[in-house]
Amino acid sequence: MHTLNVDLETYSPEPLPKTGVHRYAEHPEFEILLFGYSVDGGPVGVIDLAGGEPIPPALVEALFDPGVVKHAFNAAFEIACLSAHFRRPLPAEQWRCTSVLALTLGMPGNLATVAEVCKLPVDKRKMGIGGAMIRYFCMPCKPTKANGGRTRNLPTHDPARWGLFKEYCARDVVTEMAVFDKLSRWAPSTAEQNLWALDQHINAQGWEVDTELVRAAIAIDDEMKAKATAECIALTGISKATQVAKLKTWLAEEHDIETESLDKEEVKGILKLNTVADVERALTLRQELSKSSVAKYLAMSRSVCADGRIRGLFQFYGANRTGRWAGRIVQAHNLPRSDLSYRDLALARDTVKSLDTEMLHLLYGDVAGLLSQLLRSAFVAPPGKVFVVVDFAAIEARVLAWSAAEEWRLEVFRTHGRIYEASAAEMFKVPIESIGKKSPLRQKGKISELALGYHGGVGALIAMGALKMGLKEEDLQPLVDAWRTANPNIMSFGRQLENHAKQCLRTRIPTGDGERYGFRYESGMLFLDLPSGRSLCYVKPRIEKSEITGYWNISYDGQDPVTKQWGRTMTYAGKLLENHTQATARDCLAVALTRLSSAGFQIVGHVHDEVICEVEESSAAEALARVEDIFAKPIGWAPGLPLKGDGFISPFYRKDV
């Protein structure tokens, strides 16, 4: 099997991070500047397309030859750009993504950082000049007197810098090949490779948006902000909501109100103690002007392609600790929920599109909040089609019960599925029939299920909102104790995971239960083998004593989920249990996606444990039944795991309420 390594440098007026590669590559001025390559691991070459060099016919043939495996770091970019260049699609099945390979091993998805983690020699690492070169040649420039008023830098404007840029492109190919050589022994399985190819097809298919609704939402927000700004200036003399210091000065000098900040909780406190109308109105205006209710509408407007669809919304292995997908561009995984019914959503959508702001205020009051609630509904099915939206019912709770063999919970999922009521009944030793929808015990059962499954304690209950729902702090520890007593197998399963992980690190001998998990140590990495056959990876693990608790924890090199910085991080029983559960739930979704695709369904999106299929309206009821059946179908590597799919039909995306 022949191989072709590829790295591209490109130009487009579109801002790539904001629009995504598909909108970027569809722009009329898009072009490939440099084509870096290596055939079968041989010498690296760079074709200067911007300088008039054509891609040789042999390389063009290789790009479309199914017998040649193409490699790239973040291959989705190369596939989209080359498809646009040649005006014909390149099948993702013929590509391998080195970025995904790194992510599957718990490493960063950034080439420079991966090269550092892999300890590549200096001559095989990325050159540090990349950012400056890309800004100069790959993006529009600001016209100035010094540059003659041009809006783009060409190779002829700085030949020396262009020569350096070609060296940079060649080095990227060298680095990508070196990373692959270092990590290829742990390449994703055939099943995972096929899943990545399916992911590329879903991303390339795209998800249609209601551009009329998007434009209307942005226009209404602009109108409301203009009115609020004018009122704010008249009232306080301050024109921008971001000028917090000026607003604090106004509060102090005009109304004798001293405050350290103007965050949400602080403003609530001020309003409780002050009834001055001007203060209340000024702070209300500040909150209105600070809201970003249309940020995602703006993202939709920037990234929508000419045919009305947004592409590239889903990042394969975006959560590299568990392998779950992450949202990109519009962040579909983080859209606000709506309490509105289908009919109310439909009415609200029509009213927004009519641009009748007065009617919106009359019907809904908080127009900015309404616009946020309508975000999901901006994704629509084309004429003659509807969405079938189905998700796994309580998938994490089911997987957790199955993995830990917590039999009473499994029986709940095999029968009525009312886990909140059943949990409360088990915790407080009362008949489940006595616990209604509004019962305080059900609330306790619900928050316990949401907060305590991964060995959480009082802190987890508080973080989940236990105090805000009316529970007293002295009641929280007894709640924790009751949940743990009711779920002894879950508690022991987490400890078992930690003990076996430590045992493997100490002895370097594989260990586990032989069915639902296993640990093995290879080349400075700890692997947690999952029931599906996939593995999670912990880089450079070791056991070390916590300076705070004195407990011997497992630490490893990883990426901080908040700061995105690479460094040491800790794990423990509850976190290992969470990783195992969420990763297994992800693998259940992967099976469902694969089965749906094989059955001919057109998948346009998937969010957490939910899949959205575009189907013919005339056969929607039948399609819904088929999709729910696929979700509930047993999985070979998870014998006894009770699965259930719940779904509905809608012409626009929403949550079922």
Side-chain angles (χ1 to χ4, degrees):
M1 183 71 74
H2 294 287
T3 61
L4 174 63
N5 283 83
V6 178
D7 183 76
L8 305 177
E9 302 301 338
T10 59
Y11 173 85
S12 174
E14 298 283 8
L16 179 61
K18 293 183 177 181
T19 66
V21 66
H22 295 276
R23 169 75 175 258
Y24 173 89
E26 127 176 324
H27 194 280
E29 295 179 42
F30 163 80
E31 65 174 299
I32 296 175
L33 305 175
L34 298 173
F35 183 105
Y37 69 96
S38 169
V39 178
D40 292 332
V44 173
V46 175
I47 300 165
D48 185 352
L49 279 80
E53 296 178 10
I55 301 176
L59 282 182
V60 175
E61 183 180 346
L63 283 169
F64 291 95
D65 185 349
V68 177
V69 178
K70 276 68 72 171
H71 291 260
F73 200 90
N74 187 20
F77 178 81
E78 270 71 19
I79 293 172
C81 289
L82 287 167
S83 296
H85 176 81
F86 289 107
R87 300 185 184 279
R88 56 185 284 206
L90 279 81
E93 289 79 4
Q94 298 175 18
W95 288 74
R96 302 293 181 269
C97 183
T98 313
S99 174
V100 167
L101 170 57
L103 290 171
T104 62
L105 295 171
M107 296 183 180
N110 172 288
L111 181 59
T113 312
V114 172
E116 292 176 14
V117 173
C118 290
K119 295 185 176 179
L120 296 183
V122 175
D123 64 340
K124 290 190 176 181
R125 295 193 186 186
K126 279 178 70 72
M127 296 170 67
I129 59 172
M133 293 291 179
I134 289 168
R135 285 191 295 274
Y136 188 82
F137 289 114
C138 301
M139 302 176 182
C141 64
K142 186 177 180 180
T144 64
K145 286 185 178 180
N147 69 15
R150 68 174 182 263
T151 58
R152 179 182 174 185
N153 295 313
L154 298 172
T156 53
H157 293 131
D158 195 331
R161 187 180 299 195
W162 182 251
L164 201 55
F165 195 32
K166 290 164 73 172
E167 289 181 32
Y168 167 81
C169 180
R171 177 68 70 82
D172 268 9
V173 178
V174 170
T175 305
E176 292 167 15
M177 291 167 64
V179 168
F180 180 78
D181 287 344
K182 189 91 171 180
L183 305 180
S184 60
R185 61 183 289 196
W186 298 291
S189 66
T190 300
E192 281 295 301
Q193 174 61 30
N194 291 341
L195 185 64
W196 174 79
L198 173 58
D199 170 78
Q200 296 305 298
H201 286 295
I202 293 170
N203 274 309
Q205 164 67 35
W207 199 351
E208 186 164 328
V209 295
D210 186 338
T211 52
E212 184 184 359
L213 176 65
V214 170
R215 286 193 297 267
I218 294 170
I220 287 170
D221 185 73
D222 287 345
E223 178 188 338
M224 292 192 305
K225 284 219 166 62
K227 289 180 179 178
T229 298
E231 186 180 353
C232 188
I233 293 172
L235 185 62
T236 67
I238 301 168
S239 60
K240 292 184 179 179
T242 53
Q243 295 174 319
V244 176
K246 288 185 178 181
L247 184 54
K248 288 195 290 186
T249 300
W250 179 80
L251 288 170
E253 294 179 354
E254 299 294 327
H255 299 281
D256 199 26
I257 298 172
E258 300 285 346
T259 180
E260 291 294 321
S261 74
L262 287 174
D263 61 25
K264 191 175 181 180
E265 294 303 316
E266 191 70 22
V267 167
K268 282 183 181 179
I270 294 172
L271 293 176
K272 279 184 180 179
L273 298 174
N274 296 272
T275 56
V276 177
D278 283 358
V279 171
E280 182 177 357
R281 186 57 186 157
L283 292 177
T284 299
L285 288 169
R286 143 87 182 159
Q287 289 177 324
E288 288 179 4
L289 290 167
S290 299
K291 284 181 180 178
S292 58
S293 56
V294 297
K296 289 185 185 291
Y297 288 111
L298 291 169
M300 291 177 182
S301 179
R302 285 192 300 263
S303 57
V304 65
C305 293
D307 63 355
R309 300 179 87 91
I310 299 179
R311 295 173 168 84
L313 288 170
F314 310 102
Q315 173 62 54
F316 190 79
Y317 245 90
N320 70 350
R321 180 56 46 220
T322 61
R324 285 188 159 191
W325 281 264
R328 291 293 181 263
I329 306 173
V330 178
Q331 299 293 345
H333 286 64
N334 190 31
L335 295 173
R337 291 187 67 93
S338 174
D339 297 326
L340 298 176
S341 67
Y342 166 73
R343 290 180 181 275
D344 288 338
L345 279 171
L347 174 62
R349 282 168 44 81
D350 289 342
T351 309
V352 167
K353 286 196 272 190
S354 73
L355 297 174
D356 192 340
T357 309
E358 186 176 336
M359 181 61 70
L360 287 170
H361 278 292
L362 182 65
L363 292 175
Y364 304 101
D366 181 9
V367 177
L370 175 69
L371 295 180
S372 293
Q373 290 192 65
L374 292 180
L375 272 164
R376 288 177 191 269
S377 74
F379 290 106
V380 294
K385 294 190 176 183
V386 292
F387 291 144
V388 162
V389 184
V390 177
D391 74 343
F392 278 115
I395 185 63
E396 282 193 40
R398 289 169 185 262
V399 168
L400 182 60
W402 174 77
S403 300
E406 199 68 78
E407 186 56 38
W408 72 264
R409 298 172 69 88
L410 288 172
E411 186 58 26
V412 169
F413 292 125
R414 292 189 198 108
T415 54
H416 54 77
R418 295 163 56 210
I419 188 60
Y420 298 153
E421 292 87 343
S423 184
E426 191 73 18
M427 289 166 65
F428 302 109
K429 305 304 177 187
V430 299
I432 190 172
E433 295 78 17
S434 67
I435 304 174
K437 195 78 173 176
K438 297 183 179 180
S439 167
L441 288 184
R442 184 185 186 276
Q443 287 296 95
K444 291 182 178 180
K446 179 177 180 178
I447 200 164
S448 298
E449 286 296 311
L450 296 175
L452 306 179
Y454 302 131
H455 292 200
V458 169
L461 285 170
I462 293 174
M464 197 61 69
L467 299 180
K468 292 180 180 179
M469 64 176 276
L471 290 176
K472 297 179 181 178
E473 193 158 356
E474 58 266 26
D475 295 333
L476 300 186
Q477 188 58 52
L479 203 59
V480 173
D481 296 339
W483 193 90
R484 292 179 175 179
T485 300
N487 296 277
N489 289 353
I490 290 176
M491 299 305 299
S492 64
F493 184 62
R495 291 190 293 268
Q496 187 177 319
L497 285 169
E498 182 180 5
N499 290 337
H500 274 153
K502 289 178 177 177
Q503 181 182 333
C504 184
L505 286 177
R506 292 189 183 105
T507 66
R508 303 293 197 261
I509 298 173
T511 185
D513 73 348
E515 293 181 1
R516 300 187 183 178
Y517 73 93
F519 286 99
R520 54 191 166 85
Y521 184 90
E522 294 180 17
S523 303
M525 297 189 287
L526 179 69
F527 290 90
L528 169 54
D529 297 328
L530 302 169
S532 64
R534 189 168 66 94
S535 302
L536 305 184
C537 181
Y538 303 85
V539 179
K540 298 178 184 176
R542 62 174 179 262
I543 303 171
E544 56 185 339
K545 192 173 185 178
S546 169
E547 295 180 359
I548 300 174
T549 65
Y551 187 75
W552 289 92
N553 290 314
I554 297 171
S555 71
Y556 60 93
D557 283 356
Q559 193 172 41
D560 187 285
V562 178
T563 66
K564 304 301 180 184
Q565 297 300 306
W566 184 259
R568 296 301 290 180
T569 187
M570 295 285 192
T571 192
Y572 47 90
K575 184 57 70 174
L576 287 169
L577 182 59
E578 180 183 50
N579 288 171
H580 180 277
T581 303
Q582 292 187 348
T584 303
R586 175 269 191 195
D587 291 343
C588 292
L589 178 65
V591 170
L593 289 169
T594 302
R595 288 174 173 174
L596 287 167
S597 177
S598 297
F601 284 99
Q602 183 171 296
I603 303 166
V604 294
H606 50 93
V607 178
H608 301 302
D609 304 310
E610 176 183 75
V611 179
I612 303 94
C613 297
E614 212 174 78
V615 305
E616 296 293 335
E617 187 174 8
S618 58
S619 57
E622 178 189 348
L624 174 59
R626 288 177 61 206
V627 174
E628 288 182 334
D629 182 62
I630 287 172
F631 268 68
K633 189 177 179 182
I635 295 174
W637 49 257
L641 172 59
L643 296 170
K644 184 174 185 290
D646 287 332
F648 59 93
I649 299 165
S650 178
F652 49 78
Y653 182 45
R654 60 185 175 88
K655 281 291 184 184
D656 199 18
V657 293

